[in-house]
Amino acid sequence: MKTSTRPPHSARWPLPLAAPLATLVAAASLSACGGGSSSGNAALLATSGSSSTQTPVTAPATSSDSSVAQKNAFQVGTTTFDPALPPEPTLPTDAQVCATLEASNNLVRRPDGALPPEADPSIAGVGKAVSAATANPDQARIQAALDACGAAVNAEVGAAILAADASATADQKAAALPNINIAGASGEELAKPQYKPSKFAVRLTVNSSGPGNGFISGPLTLPSGVTLWIDKGATLYATRDVMAYLNGAGKYCGNTAVSATQAGSSGNCKALINGDYLVNSAVVGEGSIDSRAYAEIVTTNALYPIMKVDLSCSNTYAAYAATPSAQAPDGTACDNGGTFVDSKSSVRNMTWWDLAYLGNMVQNGTTGSGSQSNFRMMVFNYAKNLTLYKITLNNSANFHVVPSGVDGLTVWNVKVQTPTLAAFANPAGNGNPLYTGETFNADNVKNTDAFDPGSASSAKSNALTTGSTTTSSAKMSFDGYLKNFVFAYNYVSTGDDDIALKGSNNPNAVGFGIDGNRGKRGDRAHGIVIAHNHIYWGHGISVGSETNAGVTNVEVYDNSFLNSEEGLRIKSDYARGGEVSNINYRNICIKNAQNALLFTPYYSTKALSGGVPKVPNFHDITLGNVRILGESKVKLQGFAANTGGYFTPTAAYPTGYLPAYPLVVSMTQVAADDPSLISLISSDANITLDTVNLPIQASTANRIVVNGQASLKVDVDKVLDCSQAFVDFPSIGASNPFGTHWVSQ
């Protein structure tokens, strides 16, 4: 393997600029930010309570040194109405409810969000199974209500939806346009009233005559056209019973390995909420969903292999899979990622987050192939008009929401916080730590991505899912692309990516897997937009790491980052790289982030798939009105020629060496309040600068071309107004582990 030994360019102020240091303006470190450019502000309007009354956004003075420019600047975090977006979703009305289910009075949520141990007790003694009656009391009745509602929806509007799709599919096939997948009826068409049923919601509520406010359920199937509505005060908890998540024969869940050589996979487990081939489905409400990945895994089958915190296992899969199932002798080597069988061990079972840490951080760090078989909170594949609205999502065992191939995906005013205070609650009152003894924190709950929207692997023609065991009478067409995606007014704090656009699958050999210009609807200005969000801990707003299918035409604006690990991020490597272009960031406030900007094609040393490199190519990236507060790092890297090693020559790479793809980025009004606190690493980049005070300079050795010049003369008070951008996470009750603070004045 031939690899580049040239180091990346690293810099801090002061730099050898033309202006003498004596004339440079020292920027004060502020607890809130101000200033701004009027560019793009006309498209962002504010309203006081009514979307029919629109007034221009202005930034009132918030400190004695606010300038006139600041007063008229765009103020991040205050926009309540944006005409560039489609209308805000709404909750169903009482008349639109198919069924209402009340929580049992046996399940009462504590203020920290946890259920008391009496609600669903763990194993009572060595080698004992838990009772299904307490481990999973609500799955059957919730699914029955969803199925009944799905059948009613299909009976009322199913024929109209199928007819519209059949007509559109026939027209598209007759047109026979090259390199165009058959999409059938668009999400825009199917959003019209004639395709909406009179009743479509299943509502989970608190008990009307007692304190009950919790439901415990295993995996649920969301039917087409149905809305799962979790009402204010109610919480849907995931069952801790691993048996509920088994995803077919031989798909073992709750492990870090399925054999001595094969790592675990989330695909071994059903998600808590599953939805494939849907039209006009949703999960909404002012209640919450808690996957309880912090809690001890239990089983209703005493012979199912469970890993223990001492790294032993209770049985082997080989013995469990025998006919009839048997108990492997103590001392037998585990085949689920543990060490050896100890059926008499009295230590507690692992939690889902124990498995994630063991698989990702320990076993993967040793062998390069470790992972965990943990269930995800929500997985959706192929849908037209899928909505998440106002719901709170907590403590997923793996990714929270994974939607693929959706035309019309809306995530609006959703809150994701992982871990919450519930992760630290147990009967002893001393937290429920990782098997290592370390207390849960925002950085050791691995693979808890909040939102990972992407394209599907191919176009599909498939019947709609009308219930957990039923489908529509005819098939519908889905082109597999992610289209018309709105991510707005959300609050996100998690242990991994806050939101990551995954360009990992391309349903069409030509074009991009994610393209904001593909089939854009008439009720919005942008096809892929991420706007008006508050991001806390996590990896920020990301593109990648999978970009092999390509990502283009994405608008990211009016977002704030507070104490995040990353702010704006584009990540990939030559095992899963591709083209990323026309990613436009503007009006961004970043405070106390470890890495404010992180654009790199060297995300990992992941092995090639089939030995064929996929070189990352990031270009036409723009940043405008970005303000960085506090100490942070910035990484701006393109792909250097010949890095990644030597490969057998191919038509794409006839020399056997990989070509250079420099990062092409333009920055306008991008500034740090204290530039001396910014550490920059850069290489292989073509950078255009206008009103930038980051320590960016040209370098022949590191192949950095700079158009324009960075300067400490930048007045940060004229860059952007961040004085209202940073707020405490709006937790439910006392569930926020960060606490609350006085608002900066």
Side-chain angles (χ1 to χ4, degrees):
M1 297 286 286
K2 297 182 179 179
T3 58
S4 173
T5 59
R6 294 172 292 192
H9 181 61
S10 181
R12 282 182 180 267
W13 286 104
L15 296 176
L17 299 181
L21 288 178
T23 65
L24 301 182
V25 178
S29 181
L30 303 178
S31 62
C33 53
S37 165
S38 61
S39 176
N41 294 343
L44 294 174
L45 305 178
T47 178
S48 55
S50 172
S51 60
S52 62
T53 304
Q54 302 174 5
T55 56
V57 172
T58 59
T62 56
S63 61
S64 58
D65 61 350
S66 295
S67 64
V68 173
Q70 179 183 356
K71 293 177 182 178
N72 295 324
F74 178 75
Q75 189 176 62
V76 170
T78 60
T79 298
T80 58
F81 174 76
D82 182 352
L85 301 181
E88 179 177 350
T90 59
L91 294 176
T93 65
D94 290 344
Q96 294 169 326
V97 173
C98 293
T100 296
L101 305 181
E102 293 189 359
S104 164
N105 284 325
N106 294 326
L107 300 177
V108 182
R109 172 190 174 117
R110 302 186 341 178
D112 61 12
L115 285 174
E118 296 80 12
D120 57 339
S122 296
I123 296 173
V126 176
K128 300 294 184 181
V130 299
S131 166
T134 55
N136 189 5
D138 295 309
Q139 179 181 5
R141 67 174 180 138
I142 296 174
Q143 189 63 65
L146 291 171
D147 287 350
C149 193
V153 168
N154 185 53
E156 185 175 351
V157 298
I161 291 172
L162 293 173
D165 189 79
S167 176
T169 295
D171 290 344
Q172 292 160 16
K173 288 182 176 180
L177 297 176
N179 303 318
I180 298 296
N181 287 349
I182 302 301
S186 69
E188 185 170 18
E189 169 65 23
L190 296 177
K192 294 178 179 178
Q194 61 264 39
Y195 307 109
K196 299 289 187 68
S198 56
K199 294 181 181 292
F200 54 84
V202 171
R203 186 179 189 178
L204 307 186
T205 71
V206 300
N207 194 286
S208 60
S209 59
N213 56 12
F215 298 80
I216 297 178
S217 177
L220 299 168
T221 297
L222 184 67
S224 181
V226 174
T227 292
L228 176 59
W229 179 8
I230 304 175
D231 209 355
K232 187 174 183 179
T235 299
L236 174 65
Y237 293 97
T239 180
R240 298 189 293 135
D241 178 19
V242 66
M243 303 303 296
Y245 301 101
L246 300 189
N247 193 20
K251 294 289 186 73
Y252 300 121
C253 185
N255 57 65
T256 63
V258 294
S259 70
T261 58
Q262 184 179 353
S265 169
S266 61
N268 292 331
C269 312
K270 297 177 184 176
L272 179 60
I273 298 176
N274 305 267
D276 298 338
Y277 308 107
L278 309 176
V279 173
N280 299 332
S281 296
V283 179
V284 306
E286 296 174 281
S288 61
I289 303 174
D290 189 342
S291 287
R292 298 197 293 172
Y294 50 78
E296 180 183 7
I297 300 170
V298 300
T299 178
T300 49
N301 184 333
L303 290 175
Y304 188 81
I306 296 288
M307 292 183 68
K308 303 281 188 173
V309 293
D310 61 4
L311 299 187
S312 68
C313 60
S314 63
N315 199 6
T316 65
Y317 290 126
Y320 167 77
T323 304
S325 294
Q327 174 65 56
D330 286 355
T332 304
C334 297
D335 53 8
N336 66 343
T339 54
F340 58 85
V341 174
D342 184 356
S343 62
K344 300 178 181 62
S345 174
S346 60
V347 302
R348 72 165 172 85
N349 298 337
M350 282 197 164
T351 69
W352 298 101
W353 285 344
D354 284 331
L355 294 177
Y357 192 86
L358 174 63
N360 285 280
M361 304 306 295
V362 178
Q363 294 176 348
N364 186 55
T366 302
T367 67
S369 61
S371 188
Q372 79 287 347
S373 295
N374 286 1
F375 71 98
R376 294 173 173 176
M377 182 178 284
M378 300 185 193
V379 174
F380 303 103
N381 296 292
Y382 299 101
K384 299 175 183 181
N385 304 332
L386 175 66
T387 300
L388 275 67
Y389 180 54
K390 285 194 173 183
I391 195 73
T392 295
L393 312 177
N394 301 135
N395 305 312
S396 184
N398 193 255
F399 302 160
H400 285 75
V401 183
V402 187
S404 300
V406 180
D407 176 6
L409 174 61
T410 301
V411 180
W412 193 299
N413 195 12
V414 172
K415 304 172 187 66
V416 176
Q417 189 174 42
T418 295
T420 63
L421 273 184
F424 309 100
N426 76 356
N430 61 352
N432 194 23
L434 284 171
Y435 73 96
T436 60
E438 182 181 8
T439 301
F440 290 129
N441 60 60
D443 199 36
N444 63 23
V445 291
K446 310 308 295 183
N447 274 17
T448 54
D449 294 22
F451 300 93
D452 285 348
S455 53
S457 59
S458 63
K460 290 284 187 179
S461 175
N462 206 89
L464 294 178
T465 298
T466 58
S468 57
T469 61
T470 59
T471 60
S472 62
S473 58
K475 294 182 178 181
M476 281 193 64
S477 298
F478 299 86
D479 65 9
Y481 290 104
L482 177 69
K483 300 186 294 188
N484 297 298
F485 172 42
V486 173
F487 189 83
Y489 300 103
N490 301 297
Y491 299 81
V492 186
S493 179
T494 191
D496 214 292
D497 288 327
D498 295 292
I499 175 173
L501 295 174
K502 299 285 190 178
S504 57
N505 297 303
N506 193 342
N508 191 337
V510 176
F512 290 79
I514 300 177
D515 183 350
N517 288 344
R518 187 189 305 278
K520 183 172 68 68
R521 296 187 183 186
D523 64 349
R524 62 201 66 197
H526 312 292
I528 307 288
V529 60
I530 302 172
H532 316 306
N533 302 288
H534 292 277
I535 308 297
Y536 303 85
W537 185 256
H539 296 167
I541 296 175
S542 298
V543 174
S545 55
E546 299 87 354
T547 62
N548 45 291
V551 180
T552 191
N553 299 318
V554 176
E555 299 296 322
V556 180
Y557 61 89
D558 187 30
N559 297 287
S560 70
F561 301 82
L562 177 61
N563 301 322
S564 60
E565 189 170 357
E566 271 81 47
L568 305 176
R569 189 183 199 192
I570 303 176
K571 52 176 178 171
S572 193
D573 52 57
Y574 68 88
R576 49 194 162 186
E579 187 175 355
V580 177
S581 63
N582 294 329
I583 313 297
N584 302 308
Y585 305 99
R586 64 186 188 275
N587 296 335
I588 306 292
C589 295
I590 305 172
K591 183 177 181 180
N592 298 334
Q594 291 185 11
N595 301 282
L597 309 175
L598 202 168
F599 302 156
T600 180
Y602 307 115
Y603 175 63
S604 77
T605 55
K606 184 179 176 69
L608 296 179
S609 175
V612 179
K614 304 175 180 67
V615 184
N617 181 9
F618 308 157
H619 64 91
D620 294 293
I621 314 299
T622 66
L623 296 97
N625 296 82
V626 176
R627 190 164 179 176
I628 303 171
L629 296 86
E631 184 174 3
S632 193
K633 298 176 182 177
V634 171
K635 182 177 287 187
L636 305 173
Q637 292 180 309
F639 196 84
N642 305 332
T643 52
Y646 179 82
F647 303 92
T648 301
T650 64
Y653 308 113
T655 66
Y657 292 95
L658 299 181
Y661 285 111
L663 170 69
V664 181
V665 59
S666 176
M667 298 183 173
T668 302
Q669 296 203 150
V670 178
D673 279 35
D674 187 346
S676 70
L677 298 178
I678 302 300
S679 177
L680 172 76
I681 293 176
S682 57
S683 61
D684 301 283
N686 295 340
I687 307 173
T688 299
L689 305 177
D690 181 0
T691 318
V692 174
N693 70 5
L694 306 183
I696 298 171
Q697 59 181 341
S699 170
T700 301
N702 291 286
R703 302 158 305 282
I704 302 169
V705 177
V706 176
N707 301 301
Q709 188 176 63
S711 172
L712 284 172
K713 287 185 175 181
V714 173
D715 183 352
V716 292
D717 283 334
K718 296 181 180 179
V719 170
L720 190 65
D721 185 351
C722 297
S723 61
Q724 304 298 315
F726 308 112
V727 299
D728 286 335
F729 192 98
S731 59
I732 292 180
S735 63
N736 182 3
F738 304 127
T740 56
H741 308 81
W742 289 107
V743 176
S744 299
Q745 298 294 330

